[in-house]
Amino acid sequence: MRVGGVGTLFGTNGVRGIANEELTAEVALDLGRTIATLKGGKIAIACDTRISSSMLKCSVAAGIMSCGSDVVDLGIAPTPALQFYVKNTNCSAGVIVTASHNPREYNGIKFVQDNGAEFFREMDEESERVFMSKKFKKADWSCVGKLLEDECYEMYVEAIVDSVDLDRRYRVVADCGNGAACFTTPEILKKLECDFLTINAHPDGRFPVRNPEPAEENLELLKKAVLDFKADIGVAHDGDADRAVFIDENGRFVSEDDILALMARYYVEKKKGIVVTPVSTSKRVEDVVREAGGEVIYTAVGSPVVAKVMMENNAVFGGEGNGGLIFPEHLLARDGGMSIAKILQLMDEKGKSLSELAAEIPKYFMLKGKVPCKDKVKLLKKLVEDFPEANSTDGIRIDFEDGWLLIRPSGTEPIARIYAEGKNKEKAEELYDFGVKVVKKILG
Ligand code: MG
């Protein structure tokens, strides 16, 4: 975490850093003062299961109260559960303490709007200005805020369960990853009348069994449990349960891109309309959305901007290719708990297994890499000149008949990221090599 002026404190998902080293109690205190200064009113807070989360949450709470706002402490909760609570109560804002999928030594602090969405970029920038200036609205001794307590699980779980209607009982194995999902996902499965088994379902901020990132290589135990339990699906969350990834009935990992495409197709079939996703997303989403009569809008990378563009365009669905799905009728934010309910609903309506559904999605092969880039301004300017037809939302995405190429200078490192996707490995390699050549030619 490098704090060197506006634009350096908040990343794409709030403030992140190593707990008590970079992200200290002092930083958390000033972030609490910042949000209370900006929003006033009553502010809800919650945290994930990390060892440092209580310390940081208490510090945020003290900062908020010192500026005259009341705090509603929701304890440990998934990020979407806090967001849903803020949306549906009279809170003026929310704060979640979590480092999501990052390793155990990290933590993070993220601000939530009164509509439940994460702070958009311009709001983070405004927050940074207040944070840096230290011009907080400090309250008189007699006007400091109160510390209230509430719980947010019930309304969140009810809303998810009420949004689907399953005809049969499903067998599910849920890997809660010792994170915030321990408090809600078993409850969701119980209320959906599933026969279920949970693993890593006790809160433990040391993450003793697996890394909080639900990457395929961390899910061997889940795959085995799915087969042993003869489950219809397996699901795994990241540390704050805003993401969910799935294992099919054969114990195989289903790519997040396939899940995103399946859900996008399902929503467009039902409601037509617009799907929003970042420029780094697999073409398979656009293919199925178009075929179903919908339209894709590409955004810059990061879930807050996806949510913002969804709101502006009244989109029916949106999400990222990392297991983060956004169901706007419920919440303008990624929601791992709702993802489980919707996948089961999809299987129920289509009468198909998850592997059968995933097989219906057109397949592409994606390559990702990076090249050194010292002059980002020059690179971007020349790319836009050379490829005027390309999408320049975030770097430049050039679409070809059977694939695409994204060249995206990094915001924080002297590199440009290259993504290439083709119908097969050869095509992806060809596009990737072309991308490297283009960058080298421009930068010399
Ligand atoms: Mg997360």
Side-chain angles (χ1 to χ4, degrees):
M1 201 176 75
R2 291 176 295 270
V3 184
V6 171
T8 58
L9 177 63
F10 286 78
T12 43
N13 275 297
V15 179
R16 290 267 172 93
I18 295 176
N20 225 16
E21 209 173 286
E22 298 167 314
L23 184 50
T24 59
E26 289 82 358
V27 171
L29 186 75
D30 277 356
L31 284 168
R33 289 168 166 154
T34 297
I35 188 138
T37 297
L38 280 169
K39 295 292 178 183
K42 194 162 75 177
I43 297 172
I45 60 173
C47 64
D48 65 15
T49 60
R50 285 165 196 272
I51 290 166
S52 59
S53 284
S54 287
M55 174 198 81
L56 292 169
K57 190 183 69 175
C58 290
S59 201
V60 170
I64 292 171
M65 290 187 284
S66 75
C67 290
S69 281
D70 290 343
V71 168
V72 187
D73 184 0
L74 302 174
I76 297 176
T79 298
L82 166 107
Q83 290 175 288
F84 192 75
Y85 181 93
V86 172
K87 179 187 171 184
N88 292 292
T89 58
N90 61 353
C91 289
S92 58
V95 181
I96 183 81
V97 176
T98 178
S100 186
H101 61 278
N102 289 143
R104 65 192 105 182
E105 64 272 24
Y106 282 83
N107 217 323
I109 292 174
K110 189 159 69 175
F111 293 164
V112 172
Q113 305 177 44
D114 61 357
N115 63 5
E118 293 166 65
F119 264 36
F120 298 150
R121 187 67 219 166
E122 61 276 17
M123 299 171 186
D124 277 345
E125 283 169 6
E126 194 188 2
S127 306
E128 284 196 36
R129 277 192 288 275
V130 173
F131 180 94
M132 303 289 173
S133 75
K134 307 263 180 255
K135 285 184 184 144
F136 305 119
K137 286 185 188 155
K138 211 175 138 205
D140 175 77
W141 69 269
S142 60
C143 297
V144 296
K146 292 189 287 292
L147 180 62
L148 314 167
E149 280 180 20
D150 203 356
E151 72 88 35
C152 61
Y153 307 143
E154 202 178 321
M155 71 156 75
Y156 171 70
V157 169
E158 285 298 329
I160 289 172
V161 172
D162 287 349
S163 74
V164 297
D165 184 11
L166 303 178
D167 281 343
R168 57 164 274 224
R169 283 180 89 91
Y170 287 88
R171 292 177 73 80
V172 180
V173 183
D175 178 349
C176 299
N178 303 109
C182 299
F183 295 89
T184 48
T185 287
E187 211 47 40
I188 291 168
L189 293 171
K190 192 157 89 186
K191 293 229 160 81
L192 287 175
E193 296 181 352
C194 294
D195 297 315
F196 68 98
L197 183 75
T198 55
I199 55 177
N200 304 324
H202 64 284
D204 190 337
R206 295 167 303 160
F207 304 113
V209 182
R210 72 161 170 92
N211 190 291
E213 168 87 57
E216 185 179 0
E217 63 267 24
N218 296 329
L219 304 177
E220 289 308 316
L221 188 63
L222 176 61
K223 288 179 182 175
K224 190 172 177 308
V226 164
L227 291 174
D228 290 349
F229 191 62
K230 296 190 170 44
D232 296 296
I233 59 167
V235 60
H237 294 290
D238 66 335
D240 65 326
D242 59 350
R243 286 161 51 193
V245 302
F246 293 90
I247 305 294
D248 71 17
E249 74 283 7
N250 302 315
R252 277 198 284 264
F253 186 83
V254 183
S255 103
E256 296 100 322
D257 290 328
D258 281 347
I259 296 289
L260 182 63
L262 278 171
M263 209 41 83
R265 185 181 71 176
Y266 176 66
Y267 267 79
V268 171
E269 279 171 357
K270 278 196 181 306
K271 303 184 175 181
K272 295 294 171 219
I274 290 165
V275 168
V276 178
T277 195
V279 281
S280 53
T281 294
S282 170
K283 182 89 175 348
R284 62 191 92 186
V285 175
E286 189 181 325
D287 283 0
V288 298
V289 166
R290 280 211 176 150
E291 204 188 315
E295 190 195 328
V296 168
I297 297 181
Y298 288 110
T299 67
V301 174
S303 61
V305 66
V306 174
K308 182 175 185 227
V309 173
M310 285 177 71
M311 192 175 84
E312 288 166 352
N313 292 280
N314 208 10
V316 294
F317 178 75
E320 306 170 298
N322 63 1
L325 308 181
I326 304 176
F327 308 94
E329 73 282 11
H330 164 69
L331 184 66
L332 259 179
R334 297 172 297 189
D335 194 329
M338 184 60 106
S339 301
I340 304 174
K342 291 290 182 184
I343 283 289
L344 290 173
Q345 179 77 61
L346 173 64
M347 289 164 59
D348 207 63
E349 278 179 34
K350 303 265 181 186
K352 289 177 181 169
S353 70
L354 188 53
S355 73
E356 287 168 341
L357 287 166
E360 294 173 0
I361 301 300
K363 296 296 178 265
Y364 284 88
F365 189 88
M366 201 191 289
L367 276 174
K368 293 179 193 176
K370 54 192 174 185
V371 287
C373 168
K374 286 208 179 102
D375 193 343
K376 287 169 200 169
V377 178
K378 181 180 172 189
L379 176 64
L380 268 182
K381 189 167 166 273
K382 197 77 177 46
L383 283 171
V384 174
E385 274 172 27
D386 290 354
F387 301 97
E389 305 289 306
N391 182 322
S392 56
T393 306
D394 190 0
I396 193 154
R397 174 166 164 152
I398 311 159
D399 274 281
F400 300 90
E401 196 151 308
D402 43 6
W404 55 273
L405 170 69
L406 173 68
I407 303 173
R408 203 179 139 246
S410 160
T412 50
E413 297 167 77
I415 54 163
R417 295 187 195 283
I418 297 184
Y419 303 66
E421 194 182 57
K423 271 281 170 200
N424 51 46
K425 192 163 176 250
E426 291 69 38
K427 186 68 202 174
E429 280 170 354
E430 187 191 309
L431 289 171
Y432 187 87
D433 293 344
F434 175 68
V436 173
K437 223 180 285 170
V438 167
V439 174
K440 283 190 175 155
K441 194 173 152 220
I442 292 174
L443 296 177

